[in-house]
């Protein structure tokens, strides 16, 4: 009897640990012609460090019991400040040498979403997107209107020069002097950042932030701020953030297509993400990739380019950081 009582007490003690649901997160820093021979050791180290820092930051937030939405914002803030990636500081330049950024975020629990497009000087465009979701009745604000909204909500602004790195100035000069050569050398042609996460309550979120495509016509908006194309989250299926040639991701509504294949066609996350990236988009001639997560915390990160900057912390705590194709 005494033993039985002791056993019951031990079981009750263990219950909270057993009931604790797993959390997981994945991030990307863009896909493209990313080959070891195009990379300097310093640049590779800086990229791996930033990925490591961002994925751990997001995971810390999840481990503390905070919502997936907060985790994706926390991870993206790190990547927006890292000059190696095409988002926030270090964003690519338009054909007139300016920085115009897009961002979006989606809550898989409610299907609430927020986005900003063609914004300048906002240090963390992802914060602006999040505020559009939580503090306005709208889903997307653009240009001056989005900037005025961000200012009104006390978001940080920086001088335009703060965003522009020498690397991006040289990249634009190379593209504008020889478009053909630049297409080949531009490992950072696609290098948007994104994050997807599953929190302790079983909720999913996705977020994406970008400077768009190098040498884009000013005023051009890609897939990243478009809900369904570059970002999508639905607790019933998955959360997705994309990177790649935005025009194609818009036409094929890439992120939403993956979630629909999971929810309506019964494909696994891996099958769905692979079908859209390696069949639909590849056949259409589009370069790119996605990170995706399902309600069990299964993560899929397919890409049809040479590489994709990516990192994940899986439900079992396994940390994965990779750049090239054959790294696992
Ligand atoms: N998808 C982004 C765009 O087209 C570019 C990228 O992923 O780097 O704006």
């Amino acid at each position: 009897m005494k033993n039985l009582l002791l056993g019951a007490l031990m079981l009750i003690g263990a219950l909270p640990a057993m009931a604790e649901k797993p959390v997981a997160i994945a991030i990307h820093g863009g896909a493209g012609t990313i080959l070891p021979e195009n990379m300097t050791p310093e640049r590779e180290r800086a990229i791996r460090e930033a990925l490591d820092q961002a994925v751990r930051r997001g995971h810390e937030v999840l481990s503390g019991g905070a919502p997936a939405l907060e985790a994706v914002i926390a991870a993206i803030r790190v990547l927006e400040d890292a000059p190696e990636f095409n988002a926030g500081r270090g964003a690519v330049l338009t054909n007139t040498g300016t920085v115009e950024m897009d961002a979006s975020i989606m809550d898989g629990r409610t299907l609430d979403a927020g986005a900003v497009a063609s914004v300048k000087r906002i240090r963390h465009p992802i914060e602006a997107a999040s505020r559009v979701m939580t503090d306005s009745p709208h889903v997307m604000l653009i240009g001056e209107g989005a900037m005025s909204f961000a200012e009104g909500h006390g978001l940080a602004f920086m001088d335009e020069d703060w965003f522009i790195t020498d690397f991006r100035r040289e990249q634009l000069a190379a593209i504008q002097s020889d478009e053909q050569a630049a297409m080949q050398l531009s490992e950072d042609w696609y290098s948007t950042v994104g994050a997807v996460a599953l929190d302790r309550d079983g909720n999913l979120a996705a977020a994406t932030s970008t400077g768009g495509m190098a040498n884009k016509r000013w005023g051009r908006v890609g897939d990243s701020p478009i809900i369904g194309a570059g970002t999508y989250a639905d607790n019933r299926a998955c959360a997705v953030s994309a990177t790649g040639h935005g025009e194609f991701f818009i036409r094929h509504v890439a992120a939403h297509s993956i979630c629909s294949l999971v929810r309506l066609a019964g494909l696994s996350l891996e099958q769905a993400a692979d079908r859209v990236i390696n069949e639909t988009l590849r056949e259409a001639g589009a370069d790119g990739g996605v990170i995706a997560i399902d309600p069990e915390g299964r993560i899929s990160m397919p890409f049809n380019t040479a590489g994709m900057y990516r990192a994940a912390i899986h439900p079992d705590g396994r940390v994965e950081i990779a750049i090239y194709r054959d790294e696992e």
Side-chain angles (χ1 to χ4, degrees):
M1 183 65 193
K2 205 167 131 201
N3 277 351
L4 209 65
L5 202 67
L6 205 65
L9 281 176
M10 280 169 69
L11 192 67
I12 290 166
L15 273 180
M18 282 163 64
E20 198 152 275
K21 297 237 188 73
V23 298
I25 182 165
I27 61 170
H28 71 76
T33 318
I34 305 167
L35 294 164
E37 54 269 33
N38 296 341
M39 188 78 81
T40 63
E42 297 73 41
R43 186 165 166 75
E44 181 168 334
R45 196 173 323 114
I47 286 170
R48 285 187 192 275
E49 274 173 19
L51 287 172
D52 185 70
Q53 203 194 335
V55 79
R56 286 183 198 279
R57 181 75 202 95
H59 193 260
E60 236 171 59
V61 170
L62 294 170
S63 304
L69 278 173
E70 279 180 32
V72 292
I73 294 172
I76 288 198
R77 282 173 59 99
V78 173
L79 299 170
E80 284 177 335
D81 273 349
E84 291 75 23
F85 300 105
N86 172 20
R89 187 169 191 210
V92 297
L93 304 182
T94 66
N95 62 346
T96 56
T98 56
V99 171
E100 293 181 3
M101 299 171 287
D102 307 325
S104 66
I105 187 162
M106 187 161 184
D107 182 351
R109 186 174 65 89
T110 57
L111 303 191
D112 282 344
V116 292
S118 242
V119 295
K120 294 180 178 173
R121 297 187 299 104
I122 299 176
R123 179 168 180 176
H124 292 295
I126 198 62
E127 292 278 7
S130 168
R131 287 302 187 97
V132 171
M133 175 175 71
T134 56
D135 297 6
S136 91
H138 308 301
V139 169
M140 184 188 279
L141 292 177
I142 64 162
E144 292 293 330
M147 287 153 66
S148 151
F149 173 84
E151 209 172 359
H153 284 78
L155 299 196
F157 278 66
M158 305 300 278
D159 288 342
E160 188 151 10
D161 268 358
W162 181 82
F163 293 88
I164 303 178
T165 61
D166 289 344
F167 183 82
R168 296 303 182 193
R169 279 202 186 90
E170 285 157 23
Q171 182 185 46
L172 184 66
I175 294 171
Q176 293 187 336
S177 65
D178 182 353
E179 200 129 346
Q180 199 61 29
M183 286 291 266
Q184 281 148 25
L185 67 89
S186 182
E187 82 200 34
D188 285 292
W189 200 255
Y190 313 115
S191 47
T192 291
V193 307
V196 293
L198 167 72
D199 66 27
R200 284 238 186 282
D201 295 325
N203 292 317
L204 298 174
T208 310
S209 181
T210 190
M213 287 172 72
N215 198 36
K216 68 184 180 185
R217 189 186 170 90
W218 70 273
R220 175 263 189 192
V221 174
D223 61 312
S224 307
I226 297 184
I227 297 303
T231 302
Y232 203 73
D234 180 344
N235 276 3
R236 296 168 298 178
C238 59
V240 179
S241 169
T243 174
H245 196 152
E247 280 70 9
F248 291 88
F249 281 71
I250 294 172
R251 290 184 196 116
H252 292 275
V253 204
H256 183 264
S257 293
I258 294 173
C259 291
S260 290
L261 287 170
V262 170
R263 190 162 80 86
L264 305 173
L267 266 61
S268 71
L269 181 71
E270 199 179 342
Q271 289 167 333
D274 186 65
R275 176 162 315 168
V276 170
I277 293 302
N278 287 312
E279 293 180 30
T280 312
L281 287 169
R282 185 196 286 271
E283 283 159 18
D287 287 344
V290 291
I291 51 168
I293 190 167
D294 74 6
E296 308 301 317
R298 285 182 287 251
I299 288 170
S300 182
M301 305 194 277
F303 50 95
N304 62 26
T305 50
M308 181 167 83
Y309 304 121
R310 59 203 187 278
I313 301 184
H314 295 269
D316 61 3
R318 185 166 56 89
V319 181
E320 186 182 347
I321 295 172
I323 295 180
Y324 308 113
R325 177 156 292 283
D326 295 322
E327 271 179 89
E328 285 317 328

